[in-house]
């Protein structure tokens, strides 16, 4: 799912790994600044506007969004069948995306804990600049 990152990683005999700042920039988690995030009722130049739906209710996202991954076996194998009487969807798995950004496929994290820790540490380092 994620694009591969090529980086020259230098390690010492004592197990210390060093990466370049440019590599950190590629690994970090993107957090857009507040001035680019959508703000309801405000234009991109900061002027207040009336929302399109005067009775708009805020959408509350669930803690976990589940996305089933299926394959239509009729289409996949060109099987002529009456689809109104029978469905041939085979479930491959479920992707779960949590509010905090964690993603899992059939319960397995899509990013290793080590990659996540490195990404968060790089973000911390680059935020100090």
């Amino acid at each position: 799912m994620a694009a591969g990152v090529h980086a020259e990683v230098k390690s010492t005999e004592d197990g210390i790994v060093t990466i370049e700042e440019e590599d950190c920039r590629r690994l970090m988690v993107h957090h857009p600044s507040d001035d680019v995030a959508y703000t309801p009722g405000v234009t991109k130049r900061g002027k207040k506007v009336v929302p399109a739906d005067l009775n708009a209710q805020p959408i509350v996202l669930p803690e976990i969004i589940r996305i089933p991954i299926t394959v239509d076996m009729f289409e996949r194998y060109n099987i002529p069948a009456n689809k109104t009487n029978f469905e041939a969807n085979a479930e491959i798995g479920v992707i779960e995306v949590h509010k905090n950004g964690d993603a899992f496929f059939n319960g397995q994290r899509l990013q290793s804990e080590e990659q996540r820790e490195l990404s968060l540490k790089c973000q911390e380092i680059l935020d100090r600049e």
Side-chain angles (χ1 to χ4, degrees):
M1 291 244 171
V5 177
H6 297 289
E8 184 177 326
V9 179
K10 301 170 192 148
S11 61
T12 62
E13 289 179 19
D14 57 359
I16 296 174
V17 176
T18 306
I19 62 172
E20 301 296 323
E21 181 181 323
E22 183 181 324
D23 300 320
C24 261
R25 291 193 187 284
R26 281 187 242 145
L27 290 170
M28 70 181 192
V29 176
H30 177 68
H31 297 286
S33 61
D34 291 337
D35 61 341
V36 296
Y38 169 74
T39 306
V42 179
T43 68
K44 67 179 182 179
R45 292 187 176 86
K47 293 183 179 181
K48 292 191 182 257
V49 294
V50 177
D53 184 356
L54 297 177
N55 297 319
Q57 298 296 318
I59 296 174
V60 179
L61 292 176
E63 290 295 318
I64 301 172
I65 297 173
R66 290 178 177 81
I67 306 164
I69 307 297
T70 61
V71 173
D72 184 338
M73 301 304 280
F74 286 141
E75 286 184 28
R76 175 84 174 174
Y77 295 105
N78 248 357
I79 301 170
N82 186 343
K83 290 187 177 187
T84 57
N85 295 330
F86 181 73
E87 283 189 18
N89 288 331
E91 185 173 289
I92 305 302
V94 177
I95 293 178
E96 291 184 348
V97 181
H98 296 242
K99 265 189 176 179
N100 66 0
D102 289 344
F104 299 85
F105 178 71
N106 290 341
Q108 182 178 359
R109 184 181 292 277
L110 292 177
Q111 181 183 43
S112 75
E113 194 57 39
E114 292 81 10
Q115 288 172 317
R116 180 174 165 76
E117 284 180 34
L118 179 59
S119 177
L120 292 172
K121 187 65 175 173
C122 280
Q123 180 70 48
E124 192 179 297
I125 290 167
L126 293 172
D127 282 347
R128 284 189 239 150
E129 295 178 356

